[in-house]
Amino acid sequence: MIDFAEYIRDVPDFPEPGIVFKDITPLLGHGDTFRASLDAIAAPYEGMQIDAVVGIEARGFIFAAPLAQRFNAGFVPVRKPGKLPWQVSGQEYALEYGTDRLEAHSDAIQPGDQVLVVDDVLATGGTGAAAVGLVRELGGQVLGFAVLIELDFLGGRRKLPDVEVHTVVHYGDD
Ligand code: AMP
C-alpha cells in the first residue's frame, strides 16, 4: 500500500501568505504512485456506465484525462473564462473576495449523460460546486465529484450537499 501523503508536499505561503499549497508533483513524478492514485480515484466507479469525465483546469486535467480513457468515456475540460474557443456555458462562483467563473463548451455534454467530475484538491468547495452546476445546466447527471485531496477543515463538502464526494487523501484539523 502506498501512503500517498508521503508524496504530497506542503508548500507554506504559496501562492500567497497563509495558504499551504498541496504540491502533488512528487506523486505525479513517480509512475507507480501516479498509477495507484488513479486506481484509488477510480475505485468507486469501476463497472459504472460513464459518458464523460470532466476535468477542472488545470490540475484536474491530469487525473481526468487518464480516467476518461479508463472508463472509455469522453474527456471534457472545464476552464477559466476566455480559454475555450467555441460557444460556452458558464457558472460564477464566490471567492473570498469577488467572484470567478468556470466555462465548458455548450455541446460538451449531452442531456442525460452520466458524468464524473474530477479535480486534484477540494478546499472551500466553490470550484467543485461551480463545475457540478455547469454539468447540470448542460443536462448531465453527476455521478460524483472525485478528488485526490480534501482539506476537511475548510468544509468544502457543505457546498456540494447533493453530490457524492469521493476523496483519496483527507487532511483534517491540525
Ligand atoms: P476551492 O474552490 O476552494 O475548493 O479550491 C479548489 C481549487 O483550488 C482546486 O482546483 C485546487 O487545484 C485549488 N486549490 C485550493 N486550495 C489548494 C491548496 N491548498 N493546494 C493546492 N491547490 C489548491
Side-chain angles (χ1 to χ4, degrees):
M1 268 291 281
I2 294 173
D3 181 0
F4 294 114
E6 283 180 16
Y7 296 85
I8 297 167
R9 179 163 51 202
D10 279 359
V11 183
D13 299 320
F14 182 89
E16 51 190 76
I19 304 289
V20 180
F21 191 85
K22 297 296 183 191
D23 175 18
I24 59 170
T25 59
L27 181 150
L28 300 174
H30 289 81
D32 53 347
T33 311
F34 182 24
R35 175 174 288 278
S37 74
L38 289 165
D39 292 343
I41 296 171
Y45 313 104
E46 297 287 4
M48 286 189 185
Q49 166 64 36
I50 298 176
D51 299 303
V53 180
V54 162
I56 304 174
E57 183 174 359
R59 288 179 298 280
F61 295 173
I62 297 166
F63 298 100
L67 289 170
Q69 288 281 293
R70 180 184 193 117
F71 293 124
N72 199 25
F75 166 72
V76 174
V78 161
R79 302 204 62 182
K80 305 280 166 56
K83 301 277 192 179
L84 289 166
W86 189 244
Q87 283 180 0
V88 296
S89 299
Q91 284 264 328
E92 310 263 331
Y93 61 103
L95 299 173
E96 200 172 356
Y97 299 101
T99 61
D100 212 337
R101 181 179 162 86
L102 288 178
E103 294 180 343
H105 276 156
S106 305
D107 61 359
I109 290 166
Q110 304 308 313
D113 276 357
Q114 302 288 308
V115 180
L116 178 63
V117 181
V118 175
D119 204 359
D120 64 332
V121 175
L122 169 57
T124 66
T127 306
V132 165
L134 195 43
V135 170
R136 288 180 173 157
E137 188 183 308
L138 295 173
Q141 302 280 326
V142 177
L143 290 171
F145 179 48
V147 292
L148 177 69
I149 296 168
E150 180 172 355
L151 306 179
D152 298 350
F153 52 91
L154 293 177
R157 273 179 192 247
R158 287 199 292 271
K159 293 218 181 86
L160 296 149
D162 52 357
V163 182
E164 204 183 306
V165 178
H166 168 51
T167 299
V168 176
V169 185
H170 287 273
Y171 288 86
D173 293 296
D174 292 326

